[in-house]
Amino acid sequence: MFQVKSKWESTNYHEVLFIGVFERTTKFAGLLAELDGFLDGQLTELFKNNDISAKKKTVTVVHTLGKLKTKKLVFVGLGKERELTFELLREVFGRAFKKVQKLKPADVALGLDSFIGGQLDILDVAHAAGEAFCLSTYQFEGYKQKSNEPEKKIKLITIYSDENDAEEILAALTVGAIYGKGTNSARTLVNIPGNMLTATEMAEFAQELAAKYKFEVEILDKEAMEKLGMGALLAVNQGSTEPPKMIVLKYQGKEQWTDVLGLVGKGITFDTGGYSIKTKDGIVGMKTDMGGAAAVLGAMEIIGELRPEQNVVAVIPSTDNMISGAALKPDDVITSMSGKTIEVLNTDAEGRLVLADAVTYAKYHGANYLVDVATLTGGVIIALGNDTTGALTNNESFFEQVLEASVEAGEPIWRLPIFPKDIERIRSSKIADLNNSPGREGHAIMGGAFVGEFAEGTPWVHLDIAGTAVTKNEHDLGPSGATGAMTRTLALLVERFEPIK
Ligand code: BES
Ligand code: ZN
Ligand code: ZN
């Protein structure tokens, strides 16, 4: 996908060459100066007349009109040099790649050094380019007779850089691309409709990942769940004709199975709400209710590629949430694997039920730290909107590590509190240990804190991606639809993780 070369030559054929430009650059240097020379100072003129803008995120295409073997120069505005950040650069690259993808070029080159600015070095720039390339050019193929995928995709990018050694740059590009591809896998899982991605199919996907990356894999069927007493996941599945699956993947990157990170993802393949049924408008889009599972599987793909020295157990409770004569009803009391009993006041609060058993099962598999990711509540969208993932925790130091990973990944999270009074509401059932829906007030907190009851003393962070798993609008790093939110945060957390003393 990438090749790295040290020097651009005017005789090299490329359909497109990307060059980064900063505002108020007083002199042309490097590749830019060289190109200007070949074009008889015309670039200087274009800059003077503001025909090429260096304002951040502007992309200007200049034809070389036969003067160079490179057909088009694509100038990418980076804004002020000292203000360049990794996040901005990733978006800028995304925008530029998207624009150029529309030109359907076969052969693309990138003057990598021209994008160095701010605190970033060449390897950061390479990582950003690799990641942005994969993310921004992603398309969900779909099911039209004529596929949604562009006919001509950019396949090979030649990277020019005088700096450092080519191998290191290639490695950084590749790591970026691995992060991008893992996120795209998560996006695809979320975009697939519920009739095509059942719990069984999700389990098959996990099995394929396991085979490819040599993960240990365990798929529990209904019978096994019954034996283990997973009454909460089974209750949600009760109304369905599709069998449930509890999916477990283990990656051991240390000698001993210690300091194990548990990644738990809500895998509801379609959420009708059950007898607390959703409205005809509210139900559309509920194929995306397995966004947490997708993020965990996407992260496992990244982990499988990068093989960090960490131990990870991924646990995905998967089923749809349907209605039938056998379905779970409001007022029912169920017993979770942990032994805690739950009064079900709302069958649409099913995510916390399946996560309850998954968290317990992750601990059973030795998880010492837990992150659960879930499209859990509409409430988090009201609280934080569609750009920020909601977080809850029972452990400051562990949360700090998740927060740092999210900042590096460019996936904003914001923490909501859990106070003792919140916990009282979750425990307020008169006839069971817990109730799954203590009312709409603060219900993003209620949902997450309910899951936290099953983490008990284990350091735990909850990430509610109901608002961020899907976007209505096309953006610099992808199309509308699934975003793959938290895939990169989870993978980075694993890569950087330090056990808490
Ligand atoms: N899957 C939904 C949450 C959701 C809402 C995800 C919108 C994506 C977009 C979840 O299972 C749910 O229905 N939650 C209820 C909880 C309530 C009944 C306490 C909600 O948010 O309304
Ligand atoms: Zn629901
Ligand atoms: Zn749901």
Side-chain angles (χ1 to χ4, degrees):
M1 184 173 6
F2 305 108
Q3 62 176 2
V4 181
K5 290 187 176 171
S6 66
K7 188 139 180 43
W8 173 85
E9 305 280 354
S10 63
T11 49
N12 291 358
Y13 171 83
H14 293 298
E15 227 154 301
V16 164
L17 172 63
F18 291 95
I19 301 126
V21 284
F22 288 101
E23 274 173 36
R24 299 202 203 116
T25 308
T26 45
K27 61 173 177 16
F28 278 13
L31 183 56
L32 194 53
E34 213 180 322
L35 289 166
D36 198 31
F38 279 113
L39 296 172
D40 309 322
Q42 287 298 314
L43 293 179
T44 310
E45 287 302 310
L46 289 173
F47 271 98
K48 260 194 211 149
N49 297 332
N50 275 327
D51 289 324
I52 298 174
S53 169
K55 256 182 74 185
K56 60 178 131 178
K57 292 197 183 175
T58 50
V59 181
T60 317
V61 182
V62 174
H63 292 253
T64 60
L65 302 173
K67 292 212 168 195
L68 294 174
K69 282 270 187 188
T70 298
K71 282 193 171 171
K72 287 169 203 148
L73 302 178
V74 176
F75 292 95
V76 184
L78 296 168
K80 296 193 182 69
E81 185 167 348
R82 60 186 157 73
E83 288 175 11
L84 186 69
T85 61
F86 189 73
E87 202 179 332
L88 174 63
L89 183 59
R90 187 162 40 201
E91 286 180 2
V92 171
F93 271 133
R95 183 163 301 194
F97 289 133
K98 268 194 152 194
K99 182 152 180 176
V100 165
Q101 174 96 297
K102 292 198 184 107
L103 305 174
K104 300 184 176 170
D107 182 294
V108 171
L110 184 66
L112 202 65
D113 302 350
S114 61
F115 291 87
I116 301 174
Q119 308 285 314
L120 307 178
D121 63 20
I122 187 74
L123 298 180
D124 298 324
V125 175
H127 182 118
E131 190 169 313
F133 173 66
C134 291
L135 289 174
S136 65
T137 57
Y138 169 80
Q139 284 287 344
F140 180 59
E141 220 177 306
Y143 308 95
K144 294 188 188 199
Q145 293 185 58
K146 193 173 173 298
S147 160
N148 281 340
E149 287 253 26
E151 296 143 35
K152 257 186 158 182
K153 286 174 92 177
I154 305 172
K155 291 218 172 68
L156 177 74
I157 308 185
T158 306
I159 309 286
Y160 291 106
S161 174
D162 297 336
E163 295 226 5
N164 227 291
D165 76 275
E167 245 171 67
E168 264 189 287
I169 292 174
L170 187 61
L173 282 158
T174 307
V175 171
I178 287 168
Y179 271 86
K181 281 186 196 163
T183 307
N184 290 345
S185 297
R187 288 171 169 180
T188 296
L189 288 170
V190 173
N191 285 327
I192 298 175
N195 61 331
M196 299 189 189
L197 189 85
T198 59
T200 304
E201 256 121 352
M202 183 127 61
E204 273 163 26
F205 180 88
Q207 250 155 343
E208 282 163 26
L209 270 189
K212 184 163 180 195
Y213 298 114
K214 306 212 160 40
F215 299 143
E216 205 181 295
V217 58
E218 180 187 59
I219 313 282
L220 299 186
D221 60 11
K222 199 167 164 174
E223 230 189 320
M225 289 177 210
E226 278 162 1
K227 277 192 192 129
L228 285 161
M230 292 182 173
L233 173 55
L234 286 166
V236 174
N237 178 257
Q238 234 169 263
S240 179
T241 50
E242 278 295 331
K245 301 284 170 195
M246 182 68 92
I247 302 166
V248 181
L249 293 175
K250 274 186 187 175
Y251 165 78
Q252 183 161 356
K254 295 184 186 202
E255 287 273 311
Q256 306 292 326
W257 189 245
T258 53
D259 298 318
V260 180
L261 275 157
L263 307 180
V264 178
K266 172 177 173 182
I268 297 293
T269 57
F270 193 84
D271 183 11
T272 68
Y275 273 103
S276 314
I277 195 164
K278 291 185 181 291
T279 62
K280 67 179 185 299
D281 293 328
I283 205 166
V284 177
M286 280 302 140
K287 68 171 183 180
T288 65
D289 211 17
M290 32 57 70
V296 169
L297 290 169
M300 288 307 283
E301 182 181 319
I302 300 170
I303 291 160
E305 289 283 342
L306 300 179
R307 310 203 84 75
E309 283 177 26
Q310 302 285 359
N311 293 330
V312 183
V313 58
V315 180
I316 293 166
S318 188
T319 173
D320 47 11
N321 183 23
M322 304 294 281
I323 292 180
S324 81
L328 181 68
K329 307 177 295 300
D331 287 350
D332 285 357
V333 173
I334 59 177
T335 305
S336 64
M337 186 188 177
S338 71
K340 288 189 207 298
T341 56
I342 303 162
E343 184 181 13
V344 177
L345 297 180
N346 192 323
T347 60
D348 198 9
E350 85 298 340
R352 65 200 74 181
L353 300 179
V354 300
L355 290 168
D357 281 347
V359 161
T360 303
Y361 202 47
K363 292 205 307 184
Y364 173 94
H365 274 288
N368 309 104
Y369 302 87
L370 289 160
V371 184
D372 81 84
V373 190
T375 47
L376 203 69
T377 65
V380 82
I381 311 175
I382 305 301
L384 298 173
N386 289 109
D387 298 306
T388 308
T389 292
L392 294 173
T393 190
N394 63 5
N395 187 294
E396 302 290 326
S397 332
F398 188 45
F399 176 73
E400 220 31 65
Q401 294 198 41
V402 177
L403 181 64
E404 273 172 31
S406 80
V407 169
E408 196 177 334
E411 301 187 304
I413 69 176
W414 194 260
R415 188 174 156 191
L416 299 167
I418 307 177
F419 286 111
K421 285 231 159 33
D422 299 317
I423 303 212
E424 271 176 33
R425 286 175 63 201
I426 290 158
R427 297 181 186 167
S428 66
S429 168
K430 293 208 165 63
I431 58 168
D433 298 322
L434 304 170
N435 85 69
N436 83 329
S437 184
R440 296 200 71 78
E441 299 82 1
H443 86 259
I445 297 173
M446 292 300 117
F450 181 96
V451 181
E453 290 288 284
F454 296 84
E456 296 175 314
T458 306
W460 156 81
V461 172
H462 162 71
L463 298 169
D464 191 337
I465 56 169
T468 51
V470 177
T471 175
K472 287 193 194 81
N473 307 313
E474 186 186 346
H475 51 107
D476 291 335
L477 293 171
S480 61
T483 58
M486 294 299 122
T487 305
R488 286 171 288 148
T489 296
L490 291 180
L492 272 168
L493 171 72
V494 170
E495 260 209 283
R496 308 263 189 273
F497 180 67
E498 305 261 4
I500 299 162
K501 276 156 212 131

